[in-house]
Amino acid sequence: MNQIYETQADRTDLPLVAIPCVFEDMVAPLKDALALLDGIARVRMFEDYTLDANTFVERAQGADAVIVIGVHISDDMLRALANTVRCMAFGGTGVASYIDFDLARELNVRVCNVRHYGDAAVAEFTFALILELARRVGDLDRELRAGDWNGVSSVELAGKTLAIVGFGGIGQTVARIAQGFGMHVTAWNSGRGPRERYTEHNVTPIADMKELFASADVVSIHMPLVGGTRGMIGSAELDALRPGTMFVNTARAEIIAPGALVKRLERGDIPAGLDVYYQEPLPTDSPLLDIPGLVLTPHVAWRSDGANRNLTRQCVEDIAAYFEGGKKNVVVDPDEA
């Protein structure tokens, strides 16, 4: 039987917050954060993780607000939840690929996210992928265990150029790590935001995306998914990559035009590390699984002990603000439609 954790269960006068599923490593930090809802809302949390849509909706029955951890909310799910739910707090930053904003607004559901909760976590994981592509530690471990002592030559990062697309909190953290390895760092200059940030981080801005890609030894994507960034990287940009350039995406798959990355990777000359996909979980018949030279992980760059604490607290703060008439991390506000 599923373990259910409840707070203020006897306070039926208070609104109900449902947490229909949660990763095991987030249960403890969530319980700590739920004290912020004392006297504001009662909570019903299911201490397991499920991707089953019907189960998720059933567990949220009667809730006024829902905390969503790692679950894509389909249009059908959203319509069912909107019978009672007026606020949804997502445990992530780029929630545009998890819920239809226009439909949420139409159904009068506020959508909140969390911000800068995992800059260090994602940046560190980005380098875990880069290092795996460059030094192939996983492959070497498997070969040694199979009795192979030959080893392989690998790529030294010192002196190489890392190009960053998306120079916000995560991108800037990645830049600092890269410079610790002795790498030269460039970044796409979108023309938005203060130009001083490039100087402050000793990063060379490049306005032309194809030029950025063509001059890089490693490319790492850190753009948020918003209307203007969907499909912003296409075949023309990917074709500018030189053979051997490492490509890493820990942001959102939808930043890249549909099919463009698979087409480029199928040439077999670009090693890549991917943590995000157009369809999640990644289908077992995905062509990515048959392309050599790839490191694929199940959208976990954001998951760390520190990020878990920041994420869960912000989710609870989002909900508390809603019930108290305030606003925190609001990305869809039906009142401003």
Side-chain angles (χ1 to χ4, degrees):
M1 186 170 179
N2 297 310
Q3 183 70 31
I4 301 175
Y5 177 80
E6 295 184 276
T7 67
Q8 306 178 98
D10 58 331
R11 291 290 308 275
T12 56
D13 58 307
L14 296 176
L16 174 64
V17 178
I19 308 175
C21 67
V22 63
F23 294 114
E24 183 179 357
D25 53 358
M26 292 186 185
V27 171
L30 259 173
K31 288 180 178 179
D32 290 341
L34 290 177
L36 296 171
L37 292 175
D38 285 352
I40 298 173
R42 54 199 168 100
V43 176
R44 182 174 66 226
M45 177 171 67
F46 291 80
E47 297 183 18
D48 66 340
Y49 183 70
T50 178
L51 287 172
D52 181 76
N54 292 331
T55 300
F56 188 96
V57 171
E58 180 181 340
R59 291 177 174 184
Q61 187 174 7
D64 302 275
V66 173
I67 292 177
V68 183
I69 306 291
V71 175
H72 291 258
I73 303 298
S74 68
D75 290 353
D76 288 342
M77 291 172 67
L78 180 55
R79 289 189 181 95
L81 292 166
N83 287 326
T84 60
V85 173
R86 299 273 66 85
C87 180
M88 302 180 74
F90 280 78
T93 301
V95 302
S97 56
Y98 281 75
I99 187 172
D100 186 320
F101 284 0
D102 291 335
L103 182 58
R105 190 174 290 108
E106 176 186 327
L107 295 172
N108 195 35
V109 177
R110 175 187 288 190
V111 177
C112 303
N113 67 355
V114 294
R115 301 175 186 178
H116 297 294
Y117 71 94
D119 289 358
V122 176
E124 290 173 7
F125 197 89
T126 295
F127 254 86
L129 291 174
I130 292 172
L131 286 167
E132 183 60 33
L133 293 172
R135 304 307 301 262
R136 298 175 59 184
V137 173
D139 289 340
L140 290 167
D141 174 73
R142 286 187 289 273
E143 291 173 7
L144 182 146
R145 293 174 187 277
D148 185 347
W149 191 257
N150 292 323
V152 293
S153 182
S154 56
V155 176
E156 187 173 289
L157 296 179
K160 299 295 193 299
T161 296
L162 168 66
I164 297 173
V165 181
F167 202 55
I170 296 173
Q172 291 169 21
T173 306
V174 169
R176 290 195 294 271
I177 296 173
Q179 288 159 351
F181 278 89
M183 300 185 77
H184 172 61
V185 183
T186 60
W188 180 55
N189 180 9
S190 65
R192 300 177 180 177
R195 187 177 177 84
E196 294 77 17
R197 58 183 170 162
Y198 301 107
T199 303
E200 291 170 0
H201 290 84
N202 194 28
V203 168
T204 302
I206 298 177
D208 184 87
M209 185 85 70
K210 289 191 287 186
E211 178 185 346
L212 180 78
F213 280 25
S215 60
D217 299 295
V218 184
V219 172
S220 190
I221 310 302
H222 299 289
M223 291 295 294
L225 180 62
V226 295
T229 65
R230 188 180 295 272
M232 62 176 284
I233 298 172
S235 296
E237 290 76 22
L238 295 173
D239 284 345
L241 294 170
R242 293 175 286 115
T245 302
M246 291 176 268
F247 186 89
V248 174
N249 189 1
T250 55
R252 285 292 185 272
E254 294 89 344
I255 301 299
I256 304 169
L261 183 59
V262 170
K263 181 180 179 182
R264 181 65 183 87
L265 294 176
E266 284 180 336
R267 297 186 199 175
D269 62 348
I270 299 294
L274 305 177
D275 188 52
V276 290
Y277 313 93
Y278 262 88
Q279 185 177 343
E280 298 180 357
L282 186 67
T284 56
D285 61 352
S286 170
L288 290 171
L289 296 170
D290 297 322
I291 300 174
L294 306 189
V295 176
L296 308 175
T297 55
H299 201 155
V300 292
W302 57 282
R303 289 179 63 183
S304 72
D305 53 356
N308 285 348
R309 288 191 297 271
N310 294 336
L311 177 153
T312 52
R313 184 175 183 85
Q314 283 194 51
C315 280
V316 175
E317 289 173 343
D318 292 351
I319 298 294
Y322 171 74
F323 287 127
E324 294 189 306
K327 294 182 179 180
K328 182 177 175 63
N329 296 337
V330 177
V331 293
V332 174
D333 188 351
D335 294 335
E336 295 181 358

